[in-house]
């Protein structure tokens, strides 16, 4: 196996006293036994799946030693030892997650929402306000997609740079002490083959941020060995060109073996010092790690590792080597180590039992209640036998889960349909109560529950005077951003061409020169890590505005938005928030990659985020203002063709807000309602004029935000008046327009008020063709809208509106 070891000279030395080393041994043993017992729990049917950190213990203990208050981890499912070592995870909590316990106290990382091995600390108080993160050991909330933990690491580290270099942030003492915090990442060897890993390493080298990323190299990614993942089978060799030199900045690369306790201790102290004091990114390639139990509970590694490899893994198991190290340095004798191990084993057993008792007794209690109520209802029911049978079967379930209980009750309620209300009253009341609790357990916290929810931001209308000038739309944004940069030091923006030229449409023109490069910054072309940079900085109390140059390129960053940001609040049950605002532009221009409007894609993948679709720049500025007063993540899609259109400059820029989730009536009419948004507002308004000339009065509503969607039922009010509706947008058929139709017809119960079949207007199914003609024949036009409305009116009154 690998022979290379290069550990730079340390500035600070790790504490290698007997007490410290034996404490490390104790934690390592606890962690190993947690892995061994965890696997058994799965095989006994008490948990569904297990993935464990055995074979990776010692390096994580070294990392924990270098980790300081205020630091952040962003890692993956192997990191239990690290979490135990920093004191942010107890063995009991570890098992509670394995069982999927829905109680936040029992399982603080995700309240049972994530499978085991997904770690997180809670950055927020119950009311959604920030804790003092400088007094905590922090872990960002893990996600399953391999390498997707890495892009936000860039942001977590970049925040330290901002806190150190932007003096305007010095009062934010809850988040940083002079930018001294290091962001520590972990990733498996195979996962480094993902593009986002390379993108992050490159960006970190460019930006010189305090990030230390460890690669846990056990030679495999499930069954596939390194030669299939990585050129030269070595990620540190591949990255050698990134290594800093005496004359050029870059990243530091350290190689160390995963069983070498002392070398690991030096490596981590060195890496931590370097990153913390000089903001130099470091990669630690930890080689020769093992997987004593294979990848996960889903299969055994005997299927793909040969006997030689399996034997090698036994011999080089880091715990065996640690034991040898302690004995050969005479820090303890074998009896002492055996005793520590026996105590560790006992502790794991006892905490595992405590976790199981807590988890199972909650469900047992619910089961007993349900069985009693079922039997009670059976007594007076015509379906006595079968309901008693349901109760009997339920009472005998081995390792019952909540679904078993609820399912039996729901079946019984169906069976009881012909019985009187009295017979089922108690059962039904119990079921209603449980349903309520289960919504909290499994469905809550998709959006903010705090006082900073977007729905709580007070609406302040834009104010105009007779003297308010007509300006290009982009100037409204520029003035708003200028005002906000001056007012809120937490606010900053970055993206491709955002810095020097102030974005390709110049909404930040001149603002870098005025407010500095830390506030308005250029980035490389790297959408995925632009989003990661935003998520990480938002997790540390800043207010980033991350720009994606065109909506058509959002796909590169969409994965991070979907897998990480959109579900962050949900998957931590309100434990973390990252109020990142993504700014982009789309809807209307020309060609396959500069005119898209993939709102269906966004709506399906970004539940948990606010989706703003302003029709002009005045509305956009008001929406940014609302979002900055709230604590929710959002995407704002500006109209690509709107920057040079004239708008009136409001007098109260920076004060006015746009209420999110509140459609605006752009035009009143009695015959038919058209619900639309974004650039389509102009098209529909033009159609309305033409239709008025032939005697058809349409009412036009701009939804303004797709998520949240019409929280006050304003569209329904309009339909009650016109009894006809069209949902229009520029997305493909069955996407954004279908979403709006479902929200209104089903969500607002509007079917009964319709006198005509509800319709949609959308673009063609393909991406739009280039040039003005391409646009005309791909996207909905004024004529399309006029003809659709006319056809609907013609069906109602063919005499008045003869078929065209
Ligand atoms: C994007 C993505 N693809 C595939 C998977 C399935 N998967 C889970 S772990 C894993 C292997 C990871 O190997 P490595 O990075 O070496 O970490 P290790 O488990 O060996 O510590 C794979 C393919 C995933 N979770 N995410
Ligand atoms: Mg691996």
């Amino acid at each position: 196996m690998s022979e290379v070891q290069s550990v730079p000279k340390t500035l600070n030395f790790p504490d290698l006293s007997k007490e410290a080393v034996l404490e490390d041994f104790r934690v390592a043993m606890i962690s190993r036994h947690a892995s061994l017992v965890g696997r058994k729990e799965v095989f006994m049917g008490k948990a569904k799946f297990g993935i464990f950190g055995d074979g990776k213990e010692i390096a994580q203990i070294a990392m924990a030693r270098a980790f300081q208050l205020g630091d952040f981890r962003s890692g993956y499912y192997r990191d239990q030892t690290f979490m135990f070592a920093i004191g942010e995870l107890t063995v009991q909590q570890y098992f509670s997650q394995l069982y999927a316990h829905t109680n936040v106290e029992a399982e603080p990382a995700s309240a049972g929402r994530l499978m085991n091995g997904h770690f997180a600390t809670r950055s927020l108080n119950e009311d959604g306000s920030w804790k003092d993160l400088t007094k905590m050991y922090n872990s960002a909330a893990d996600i399953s997609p391999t390498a997707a933990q890495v892009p936000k690491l860039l942001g977590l580290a970049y925040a330290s740079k901002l806190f150190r270099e932007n003096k305007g942030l010095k009062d934010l003492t809850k988040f940083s002490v002079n930018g001294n915090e290091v962001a520590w990442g972990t990733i498996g060897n195979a996962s480094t083959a993902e593009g986002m890993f390379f993108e992050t390493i490159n960006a970190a080298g460019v930006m010189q941020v305090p990030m230390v990323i460890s690669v846990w190299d056990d030679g495999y990614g499930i069954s596939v060995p390194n030669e299939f993942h990585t050129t030269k089978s070595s990620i540190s060799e591949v990255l050698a060109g990134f290594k800093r030199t005496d004359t050029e900045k870059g990243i530091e690369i350290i190689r160390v073996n995963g069983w070498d306790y002392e070398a690991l201790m030096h490596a981590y102290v060195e890496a931590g010092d370097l990153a913390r004091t000089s903001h130099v990114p470091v990669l630690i390639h930890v080689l020769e790690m093992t997987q004593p139990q294979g990848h996960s509970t889903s299969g055994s590694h005997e299927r793909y590792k040969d006997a030689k490899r399996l034997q090698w893994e036994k011999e080089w198991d880091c715990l065996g080597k640690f034991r040898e190290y302690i004995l050969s340095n005479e820090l303890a004798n074998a009896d002492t180590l055996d005793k520590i191990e026996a105590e560790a084993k006992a502790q794991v057993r006892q905490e595992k039992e405590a976790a199981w008792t807590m988890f199972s007794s909650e469900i047992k209690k619910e089961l007993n209640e349900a069985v009693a109520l079922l039997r009670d209802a059976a007594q007076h029911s015509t379906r006595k036998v079968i309901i008693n049978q349901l109760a009997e079967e339920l009472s005998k379930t081995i390792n019952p889960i909540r679904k078993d209980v609820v399912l039996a009750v729901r079946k019984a309620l169906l069976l009881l349909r012909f019985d009187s209300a009295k017979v089922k009253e108690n059962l039904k009341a119990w079921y209603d109560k449980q349903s309520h609790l289960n919504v909290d357990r499994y469905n809550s916290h998709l959006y903010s529950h705090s006082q900073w929810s977007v729905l709580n931001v007070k609406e302040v209308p834009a104010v105009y005077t007779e003297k308010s000038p007509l300006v290009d739309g982009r100037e409204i944004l520029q003035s708003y951003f200028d005002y906000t940069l001056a007012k809120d030091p937490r606010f900053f923006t970055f993206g491709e061409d955002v810095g020097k030229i102030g974005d390709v449409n110049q909404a930040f023109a001149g603002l870098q020169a005025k407010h500095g490069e830390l506030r308005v910054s250029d980035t490389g072309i790297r959408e995925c890590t632009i989003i990661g940079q935003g998520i990480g900085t938002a997790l540390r109390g800043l207010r980033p505005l991350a720009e994606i140059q065109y909506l058509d390129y959002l796909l590169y960053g969409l994965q991070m938005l979907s897998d990480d940001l959109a579900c962050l609040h949900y998957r931590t049950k309100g434990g973390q928030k990252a109020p990142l605002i993504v700014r982009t532009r789309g809807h209307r221009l020309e060609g396959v990659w500069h005119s898209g409007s993939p709102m269906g894609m966004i709506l399906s993948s970004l539940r948990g985020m606010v989706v703003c679709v302003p029709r002009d720049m005045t509305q956009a500025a008001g929406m940014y203002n609302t979002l900055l007063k709230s604590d929710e993540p959002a995407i704002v899609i500006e109209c690509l063709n709107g920057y040079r259109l004239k708008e009136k400059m409001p007098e109260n820029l920076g004060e006015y807000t746009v209420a999110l989730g509140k459609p605006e009536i752009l035009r009143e009419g009695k015959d038919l309602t058209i619900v639309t948004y974004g650039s389509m507002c102009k098209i529909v308004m033009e159609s309305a004029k033409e239709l008025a000339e032939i005697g058809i009065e349409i009412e036009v509503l701009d939804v303004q935000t797709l998520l949240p969607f019409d929280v006050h039922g304003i569209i329904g009010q309009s339909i009650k008046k016109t009894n006809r509706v069209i949902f229009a947008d520029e997305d493909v058929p069955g996407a954004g327009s279908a979403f709006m139709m479902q929200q209104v017809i089903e969500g607002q119960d509007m079917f009964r008020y319709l006198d005509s079949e509800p319709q949609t207007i959308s673009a063609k199914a393909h991406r739009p063709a280039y040039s003005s003609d391409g646009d005309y024949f791909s996207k909905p036009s004024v004529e399309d809208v006029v003809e659709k409305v006319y056809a609907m009116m013609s069906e109602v009154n063919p005499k008045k509106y003869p078929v065209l």
Side-chain angles (χ1 to χ4, degrees):
M1 308 284 154
S2 162
E3 290 112 45
V4 189
Q5 256 197 68
S6 63
V7 180
K9 213 163 59 56
T10 52
L11 304 173
N12 289 327
F13 286 96
D15 177 4
L16 296 177
S17 66
K18 178 181 155 184
E19 291 69 32
V21 175
L22 292 188
E23 172 59 14
D24 287 346
F25 185 77
R26 189 184 69 82
V27 175
M29 280 300 161
I30 287 174
S31 181
R32 176 61 61 91
H33 282 282
S35 298
L36 299 175
V37 172
R39 187 172 171 89
K40 285 192 190 130
E41 291 296 283
V42 175
F43 291 144
M44 281 167 68
K46 288 160 79 179
K48 281 205 100 167
F49 172 79
I51 192 155
F52 306 107
D54 45 317
K56 318 274 188 300
E57 290 92 346
I58 303 302
Q60 291 181 28
I61 281 181
M63 180 168 131
R65 287 271 211 106
F67 198 82
Q68 296 187 6
L69 288 171
D71 284 1
F72 258 90
R73 162 195 171 275
S74 179
Y76 79 116
Y77 49 78
R78 299 286 181 212
D79 293 348
Q80 66 194 48
T81 315
F82 171 80
M83 295 303 291
F84 291 141
I86 60 168
E88 287 298 332
L89 179 71
T90 66
V91 175
Q92 184 168 335
Q93 288 166 346
Y94 178 77
F95 280 95
S96 295
Q97 188 177 56
L98 189 74
Y99 304 136
H101 197 159
T102 54
N103 186 314
V104 172
E105 281 74 47
E107 204 281 83
S110 78
R113 291 176 180 194
L114 300 180
M115 69 169 45
N116 95 304
H118 287 66
F119 308 107
T121 49
R122 300 188 77 75
S123 309
L124 304 180
N125 297 306
E126 278 274 295
D127 64 0
S129 60
W130 291 103
K131 292 180 182 169
D132 186 339
L133 303 186
T134 65
K135 301 210 161 51
M136 295 170 53
Y137 296 107
N138 302 286
S139 172
D142 291 358
I143 50 183
S144 290
T146 48
Q149 71 274 24
V150 182
K152 77 174 152 226
L153 192 63
L154 185 74
L156 290 168
Y158 183 59
S160 287
K161 198 167 197 66
L162 292 172
F163 281 121
R164 186 171 290 178
E165 294 179 13
N166 178 359
K167 299 301 165 215
L169 298 173
K170 69 176 185 332
D171 293 338
L172 293 177
T173 53
K174 274 183 166 187
F175 300 102
S176 179
V177 179
N178 191 35
N180 284 342
E181 302 75 24
V182 173
W184 301 80
T186 70
I187 183 168
N189 53 296
S191 304
T192 63
E194 296 277 14
M196 53 185 56
F197 171 78
F198 285 91
E199 192 177 308
T200 306
I201 294 289
N202 180 53
V206 169
M207 293 162 74
Q208 293 293 292
V209 290
M211 135 185 159
V212 178
I213 182 158
S214 298
V215 180
W216 304 148
D217 192 345
D218 55 18
Y220 286 83
I222 311 187
S223 64
V224 181
N226 268 345
E227 57 187 293
F228 292 100
H229 294 291
T230 310
T231 306
K232 302 181 186 182
S233 297
S234 167
I235 191 63
S236 50
E237 274 193 50
V238 170
L239 296 180
F242 285 95
K243 198 167 160 64
R244 65 189 183 133
T245 65
D246 292 342
T247 52
E248 280 179 306
K249 289 178 176 169
I251 66 169
E252 182 58 45
I253 298 179
I254 298 174
R255 287 160 69 83
V256 58
N257 286 326
W259 45 263
D260 191 340
Y261 176 75
E262 209 171 299
L264 284 162
M265 285 294 165
H266 285 284
Y268 276 89
V269 170
E270 164 72 16
D273 280 349
L274 186 60
R276 203 178 302 283
T277 52
S278 315
H279 281 188
V280 171
V282 184
L283 176 119
I284 307 183
H285 186 184
V286 184
L287 297 115
E288 304 202 356
M289 288 182 140
T290 65
Q291 290 179 344
Q293 303 188 106
H295 177 76
S296 71
T297 52
S298 295
S300 76
H301 54 161
E302 282 81 12
R303 287 177 300 162
Y304 47 82
K305 288 179 185 162
D306 62 21
K308 195 164 152 233
R309 170 77 197 188
L310 289 166
Q311 183 56 30
W312 179 87
E313 290 205 10
K314 280 209 176 80
E315 282 165 21
W316 293 88
D317 185 319
C318 62
L319 294 199
K321 289 284 157 199
F322 192 20
R323 199 181 156 94
E324 281 172 22
Y325 168 86
I326 295 171
L327 294 174
S328 67
N329 284 282
E330 297 179 1
L331 296 170
N333 60 27
D335 286 348
T336 307
L337 296 186
D338 289 346
K339 187 163 168 273
I340 293 174
E341 181 165 4
E343 282 167 5
K345 209 169 162 180
Q347 184 186 336
V348 168
R349 201 178 316 119
Q350 181 245 317
E351 290 200 48
K352 183 253 321 179
E353 279 307 320
W356 177 253
T357 306
M358 255 183 90
F359 168 75
S360 57
S361 61
E362 254 182 37
I363 295 181
K364 274 268 165 58
K365 182 169 167 279
E366 288 170 30
L367 182 141
N368 291 337
E369 287 169 4
V371 168
L373 288 166
L374 285 170
R375 288 193 172 129
D376 200 37
Q379 275 320 94
H380 308 98
S381 169
T382 50
R383 316 298 295 272
K384 183 174 179 171
V385 175
I386 187 163
I387 290 171
N388 267 330
Q389 206 178 320
L390 266 179
E392 190 63 15
E393 276 167 21
L394 180 60
S395 71
K396 286 186 184 147
T397 318
I398 299 166
N399 296 336
I401 57 170
R402 210 158 255 132
K403 176 182 163 192
D404 298 317
V405 182
V406 167
L407 186 146
V409 170
R410 293 172 82 172
K411 274 190 177 166
L413 286 171
L414 192 63
L415 289 166
L416 289 164
R417 63 192 178 279
F418 294 118
D419 286 291
S420 71
K422 190 95 191 101
V423 173
K424 50 200 171 191
E425 165 182 71
N426 292 340
L427 188 64
K428 205 164 172 323
W430 184 88
Y431 174 60
D432 289 345
K433 191 182 94 201
Q434 289 304 313
S435 300
H436 197 67
L437 291 172
N438 286 334
V439 166
D440 176 61
R441 285 175 183 133
Y442 301 102
N443 315 117
S444 69
H445 291 82
L446 181 57
Y447 288 92
S448 175
H449 287 203
S450 79
Q451 68 186 92
W452 300 281
S453 153
V454 285
L455 299 177
N456 292 337
V457 177
K458 203 169 153 269
E459 184 177 2
V460 179
V463 173
Y464 300 95
T465 63
E466 273 169 19
K467 286 196 215 115
S468 302
L470 263 185
V471 296
D472 283 355
R474 69 145 195 107
E475 291 177 64
I476 294 179
L477 285 177
Q478 186 187 25
S479 301
Y480 169 73
F481 288 138
D482 185 15
Y483 173 90
T484 306
L485 282 163
K487 191 183 72 174
D488 187 348
R490 300 169 311 156
F491 176 70
F492 65 105
T493 188
F494 52 92
E496 296 153 17
D497 304 291
V498 168
K500 199 161 204 157
I501 64 166
D503 96 39
V504 285
N505 295 94
Q506 299 184 317
F508 279 94
L511 299 186
Q512 184 185 65
K514 185 167 174 188
H515 298 279
E517 287 184 21
L518 292 171
R519 310 293 305 284
V520 182
S521 323
D522 283 316
T523 67
I525 304 178
R526 49 174 183 79
E527 287 78 7
C528 166
T529 50
I530 286 174
I531 298 299
Q533 196 173 328
I535 297 172
T537 46
L539 278 167
R540 292 190 59 192
L542 297 173
R543 293 310 311 255
L545 181 72
E547 164 153 334
I548 299 293
Q549 202 163 73
Y550 298 102
L551 177 55
D552 307 70
Y553 306 130
L554 182 71
L555 275 164
Y556 280 64
L558 188 69
Q559 193 230 328
M560 294 325 307
L561 292 177
S562 182
D563 282 328
D564 198 352
L565 184 62
C567 65
L568 175 72
H569 195 254
Y570 171 79
R571 76 176 187 272
T572 57
K573 203 180 181 193
Q576 292 187 10
K577 63 180 173 184
L580 164 65
I581 305 172
V582 178
R583 171 176 185 238
T584 188
R585 50 192 73 89
H587 294 325
R588 205 85 192 186
L589 209 67
E590 286 162 18
V592 171
W593 291 285
H594 294 88
S595 62
S597 193
M599 303 313 301
M601 170 183 93
I602 288 171
L603 288 165
S604 297
S605 57
L606 299 187
R607 300 295 165 108
M609 284 181 71
V610 172
V611 178
C612 298
V613 280
R615 66 179 176 275
D616 58 27
M617 303 309 156
T618 309
Q619 295 307 99
M623 287 176 184
Y624 287 122
N625 206 22
T626 303
L627 291 168
L628 285 169
K629 292 179 193 304
S630 91
D631 66 358
E632 309 213 44
I635 180 166
V636 180
I637 297 145
E638 295 166 11
C639 297
L640 193 38
N641 62 350
Y643 296 106
R644 309 243 163 237
L645 299 179
K646 297 291 179 201
E647 296 179 36
K648 245 188 186 185
M649 176 77 90
E651 299 291 320
N652 57 343
L653 213 61
E655 280 168 35
Y656 78 90
T657 57
V658 169
L660 307 186
K662 189 175 166 197
E664 191 175 328
I665 301 169
L666 301 184
R667 184 188 194 282
E668 296 203 9
K670 60 176 187 356
D671 295 321
L672 189 148
T673 300
I674 297 196
V675 181
T676 191
Y677 61 86
S679 299
M680 275 297 282
C681 290
K682 281 208 161 51
I683 291 183
V684 174
M685 288 298 278
E686 262 186 70
S687 322
K689 260 196 242 153
E690 286 194 16
L691 286 160
E693 282 165 20
I694 54 177
I696 299 171
E697 294 295 339
I698 61 171
E699 181 142 310
V700 182
L701 271 74
D702 173 10
V703 301
Q704 307 214 80
T705 59
L706 289 162
L707 297 171
F709 189 87
D710 189 11
V711 290
H712 307 293
I714 290 170
I715 300 170
Q717 294 304 322
S718 172
I719 294 174
K720 281 183 190 168
K721 183 171 80 175
T722 63
N723 309 109
R724 273 175 260 286
V725 65
I726 294 175
F727 299 92
D729 77 356
E730 302 185 30
D731 203 351
V732 294
S737 54
F739 168 81
M740 294 195 287
M741 190 190 261
Q742 179 272 336
Q743 290 286 305
V744 174
I745 304 300
E746 186 182 292
Q748 295 183 22
D749 201 10
M750 278 298 123
F751 184 69
R752 71 185 76 188
Y753 298 101
L754 292 177
D755 290 341
S756 297
E757 185 188 345
Q759 301 270 334
T760 62
I761 293 175
S762 60
K764 297 288 186 294
H766 55 77
R767 288 187 174 197
Y770 182 60
S771 84
S772 299
D773 275 349
D775 172 74
Y776 187 77
F777 291 105
S778 304
K779 293 258 189 154
S781 61
V782 172
E783 291 67 37
D784 290 336
V785 177
V786 168
E787 286 165 13
K788 182 78 129 192
V789 172
Y790 186 89
M792 277 173 82
M793 298 310 292
S794 162
E795 193 191 56
V796 180
N797 189 346
K799 265 214 179 102
K800 191 164 173 200
Y801 307 109
V803 175
L804 294 179

